[in-house]
């Protein structure tokens, strides 16, 4: 995975749309600058995960390193997803 469970990262989000219905199992929580209340964010369907959040990778160099490593693994596997990762290939 690009991030370990429970990892904290910085980012920002903006959007002019909304998903209906809301996902029943969001991927993560977002905290605003006020740190008063979290809200859920992130959507998953089959082997696709999506979010309005734009991560700031500068503080966590492991994120782009893992991204490149996983892309390289995908390419060398002939475009097939590894079965051991968080994403599973479709039947």
């Amino acid at each position: 995975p690009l991030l370990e469970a429970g990892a904290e990262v910085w980012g920002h989000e903006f959007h002019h749309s909304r998903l209906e219905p809301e996902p029943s199992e969001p991927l993560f929580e977002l905290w605003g600058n006020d740190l008063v209340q979290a809200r859920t964010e992130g959507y998953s369907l089959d082997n696709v995960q999506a979010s309005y959040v734009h991560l700031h990778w500068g503080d966590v160099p492991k994120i782009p390193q893992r991204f490149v490593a996983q892309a390289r693994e995908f390419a060398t596997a002939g475009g097939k997803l590894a079965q051991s990762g968080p994403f599973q290939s479709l039947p």
Side-chain angles (χ1 to χ4, degrees):
L2 295 179
L3 298 168
E4 300 298 328
E8 293 184 15
V9 295
W10 288 94
H12 68 274
E13 58 103 16
F14 59 92
H15 49 88
H16 301 283
S17 64
R18 145 179 87 174
L19 183 65
E20 292 182 359
E22 290 289 324
S24 59
E25 296 183 34
L27 297 176
F28 46 83
E29 292 181 334
L30 295 180
W31 290 87
N33 290 336
D34 58 8
L35 300 177
V36 174
Q37 183 175 355
R39 63 183 179 79
T40 57
E41 169 66 15
Y43 315 95
S44 181
L45 177 65
D46 297 324
N47 66 341
V48 174
Q49 294 182 344
S51 170
Y52 287 110
V53 173
H54 302 241
L55 294 178
H56 175 57
W57 292 1
D59 196 36
V60 187
K62 288 182 182 180
I63 296 173
Q65 292 167 356
R66 288 180 176 179
F67 180 82
V68 169
Q70 289 179 10
R72 186 174 291 129
E73 180 182 331
F74 181 82
T76 59
K80 295 181 181 165
L81 295 172
Q83 294 297 313
S84 61
F87 305 109
Q88 302 298 316
S89 59
L90 299 175

